[in-house]
Amino acid sequence: KIVSGFDELGWHWWPSDSAINTVEYDDRPGCNNCGPCDLGCSIKAKASTDVTYWPKALELGAELITKARVREITVDQSGKAKSAIYYDSNGEVKEQYASIIVLASNGVGTPRILLNSTSSIFPDGLANSTGLVGKNLMFHPYSIVTGLFDEDLEGHKGPTPLNIICSEFYETDPSRDFVRGYTYQVVRSLAPLATALSGHIPWGENHHATFKKRFNRTITFAVIGEDLPEIHNKVTIDPKLTDSFGIPSPKIEYVLSENSRKMLDHGIGTATQVMKTAGAIEITHDPLKREAGWHLMGTAKMGANKDESVVNKYGQTHDVDNLFIIDGSIFVTAGAVNPTSTIQALALYIAEHIVSKSREFIGK
């Protein structure tokens, strides 16, 4: 239905990649189109880490310690990373020694650990000689546009999260009043329970009539904007707040830029145009999805110049050669697409480098 709108406008679109099996692969079945992917995939068609990498790592001898919380990374007298001090599930302090330490706690968790890892060698936080750890925090701000149609679209059948992508307005256009751009993530209708709880359907006398009007008849655009790296958007350590183990908590300072606001407003306008062209009878929008910001990027940026970045092209911190970072914090730009596939690609790339150099670190 929505493709008819894109085609009439001459805008490019394609089916989204969503890391879900369409056919049997790796002893996991193809998707059966049951719908509620966000509740977990009972048949394991969705390629989440617990059914892909974890089982293989455990078979090869990795030890997975769950319900643990790292307080800090320690260093030896030469400034090499020595161990991770953490609280286990019982709240007991443990220390794990390692020749190579990899941080993968994403754009808030990673700078929190680094900034909490102070020492005489690194008084401002581990690997933070540039002062850039925690800086340039990027989210993906979202605007939501939903169209209501007067026909049954059977929209709740199939993978939930993301079905069609359009990047017609992804690149910078000098004729617009903002730089960079955005992507549409087209989402099908919600399942029955999610429809009832969506906030659009009142409880009481009109509940069933409104449910019938909306169920299977909506299409939603998530307008995902490319946030820019800005030095004032940052993660620091809160001077007072701690978690339940007494570990100093992260403090997040973030302001949506004027550029991002203009970008999202433009996206609301063009998404509304597509909805009308496809035949929507009612269109609503949320200018800034409040709970968005789950993509955490940019707080330990990658770069070739050690004076202007935290890690090199292999995720290796410039200050500590046996400390690596593999997560969204090493991104230098947010892009206008979900970051998971890129993080996975970087993880494989960096892991191959670590393996190739592991004997050097063990020898040290």
Side-chain angles (χ1 to χ4, degrees):
K1 184 66 177 177
I2 203 66
V3 160
S4 67
F6 284 129
D7 286 348
E8 187 170 334
L9 292 168
W11 294 355
H12 185 256
W13 61 271
W14 67 93
S16 168
D17 51 329
S18 294
I20 298 172
N21 286 358
T22 53
V23 297
E24 182 178 348
Y25 173 76
D26 200 24
D27 295 325
R28 295 183 292 109
C31 176
N32 63 4
N33 294 314
C34 66
C37 308
D38 54 340
L39 300 180
C41 182
S42 60
I43 66 171
K44 302 181 180 180
K46 188 171 72 169
S48 51
T49 304
D50 60 316
V51 299
T52 53
Y53 289 106
W54 279 0
K56 292 180 174 62
L58 294 173
E59 288 175 7
L60 292 170
E63 181 182 3
L64 178 64
I65 301 174
T66 60
K67 299 181 180 179
R69 199 177 302 167
V70 174
R71 187 181 74 197
E72 62 182 294
I73 305 298
T74 68
V75 296
D76 61 22
Q77 293 180 345
S78 66
K80 303 288 186 183
K82 181 178 67 173
S83 67
I85 296 178
Y86 69 94
Y87 293 87
D88 66 12
S89 58
N90 297 317
E92 295 183 12
V93 178
K94 299 292 180 67
E95 186 168 13
Q96 177 65 57
Y97 294 92
S99 299
I100 301 170
I101 293 179
V102 178
L103 276 175
S105 299
N106 227 353
V108 171
T110 286
R112 179 197 188 186
I113 292 174
L114 292 173
L115 293 173
N116 275 327
S117 301
T118 57
S119 64
S120 59
I121 302 175
F122 297 104
D124 299 319
L126 189 58
N128 192 31
S129 63
T130 60
L132 288 173
V133 170
K135 304 293 177 59
N136 299 304
L137 173 66
M138 294 176 285
F139 295 139
H140 273 142
Y142 281 84
S143 291
I144 304 298
V145 180
T146 299
L148 179 65
F149 295 79
D150 62 358
E151 59 191 282
D152 188 339
L153 303 173
E154 296 188 294
H156 77 288
K157 300 177 180 178
T160 304
L162 174 58
N163 310 114
I164 293 171
I165 276 189
C166 172
S167 292
E168 187 72 19
F169 303 99
Y170 189 94
E171 301 291 350
T172 297
D173 184 338
S175 68
R176 300 195 291 257
D177 60 353
F178 58 88
V179 297
R180 302 307 302 143
Y182 56 86
T183 295
Y184 302 131
Q185 298 179 344
V186 184
V187 182
R188 63 178 77 246
S189 307
L190 299 174
L193 181 60
T195 300
L197 298 174
S198 65
H200 296 284
I201 300 176
W203 295 107
E205 183 178 353
N206 295 321
H207 178 80
H208 289 287
T210 309
F211 180 91
K212 185 176 181 180
K213 177 183 176 182
R214 295 190 68 86
F215 177 60
N216 264 349
R217 296 170 183 263
T218 61
I219 297 174
T220 296
F221 280 19
V223 181
I224 173 174
E226 179 171 343
D227 217 8
L228 300 179
E230 297 177 300
I231 199 74
H232 58 269
N233 289 335
K234 60 187 177 181
V235 177
T236 56
I237 299 301
D238 194 287
K240 298 180 180 179
L241 187 66
T242 63
D243 65 16
S244 57
F245 288 140
I247 305 172
S249 297
K251 179 180 179 180
I252 299 171
E253 299 176 60
Y254 175 86
V255 177
L256 184 71
S257 69
E258 181 181 359
N259 189 78
S260 290
R261 183 66 268 167
K262 290 178 178 180
M263 181 189 302
L264 294 176
D265 288 344
H266 189 276
I268 291 170
T270 54
T272 300
Q273 185 180 357
V274 180
M275 292 288 188
K276 289 181 178 179
T277 305
I281 59 173
E282 181 182 311
I283 301 169
T284 57
H285 70 269
D286 178 351
L288 186 64
K289 188 172 179 63
R290 184 176 178 85
E291 61 268 36
W294 44 72
H295 297 158
L296 312 171
M297 302 163 287
T299 52
K301 65 179 290 189
M302 178 185 285
N305 187 336
K306 65 180 182 179
D307 296 325
E308 298 178 356
S309 56
V310 178
V311 302
N312 66 15
K313 65 179 181 179
Y314 297 116
Q316 183 179 29
T317 61
H318 293 300
D319 294 349
V320 184
D321 66 4
N322 66 333
L323 177 65
F324 292 79
I325 301 175
I326 306 179
D327 57 44
S329 68
I330 65 177
F331 282 30
V332 297
T333 177
V337 292
N338 293 344
T340 302
S341 295
T342 304
I343 293 173
Q344 285 196 326
L346 283 167
L348 294 171
Y349 169 73
I350 294 171
E352 287 180 356
H353 173 76
I354 292 174
V355 170
S356 71
K357 300 292 184 180
S358 60
R359 290 189 182 276
E360 297 179 17
F361 292 110
I362 293 172
K364 294 177 181 179

